[in-house]
Amino acid sequence: MFTSLRSIFISAYLVVTFTVTQGDAFDCNIFAGPHSTVSKMGRYSDCAWFGSSPFCGSSDKKLSDSDEDGQLVAWTNGVTIDGLCKTGYGYQPVMSGGCCDNYGLGCGSGYKRLFCKKTLP
């Protein structure tokens, strides 16, 4: 389980701080990158999506930045999870495995961020 303290800036007078608890960590494969949604190709472990539907929030971090949650390896900023994981005729997925299977519900606002603690060989 991943647990971290997060803050959301609501207005000049209100900042809400809350604890985010994510599910069990998972492995993830990223096939393309770098581009606007993933930091680099690779195999990752101890990964978790951050951002809860329907208000997923955002981040001031850039792809490849690290913090206590791991390295920010992907996000759904400007793309849906289907756009990243879709397979079939004419489609080349950007990611697969746990990063697609553990995404959960989509965002009504904001976007989810995928943090991974380890890079695999």
Side-chain angles (χ1 to χ4, degrees), residues 37-95:
T37 57
V38 299
S39 62
K40 61 183 177 179
M41 291 180 5
R43 294 176 52 226
Y44 299 91
S45 69
D46 293 335
C47 299
W49 283 106
F50 287 84
S52 298
S53 180
F55 309 110
C56 297
S58 62
S59 176
D60 57 354
K61 302 214 177 319
K62 296 179 289 229
L63 289 169
S64 294
D65 283 355
S66 295
D67 67 11
E68 68 276 359
D69 297 317
Q71 180 184 15
L72 178 57
V73 299
W75 59 26
T76 56
N77 187 8
V79 66
T80 65
I81 193 64
D82 288 339
L84 294 174
C85 298
K86 191 166 182 129
T87 59
Y89 181 77
Y91 293 101
Q92 177 67 35
V94 174
M95 59 178 58

Side-chain angles (χ1 to χ4, degrees), residues 23-42:
D24 294 330
F26 52 85
D27 292 346
C28 182
N29 298 311
I30 296 180
F31 304 115
H35 58 71
S36 62
T37 57
V38 299
S39 62
K40 61 183 177 179
M41 291 180 5

Side-chain angles (χ1 to χ4, degrees), residues 4 15 24 121:
S4 64
V15 174
D24 294 330

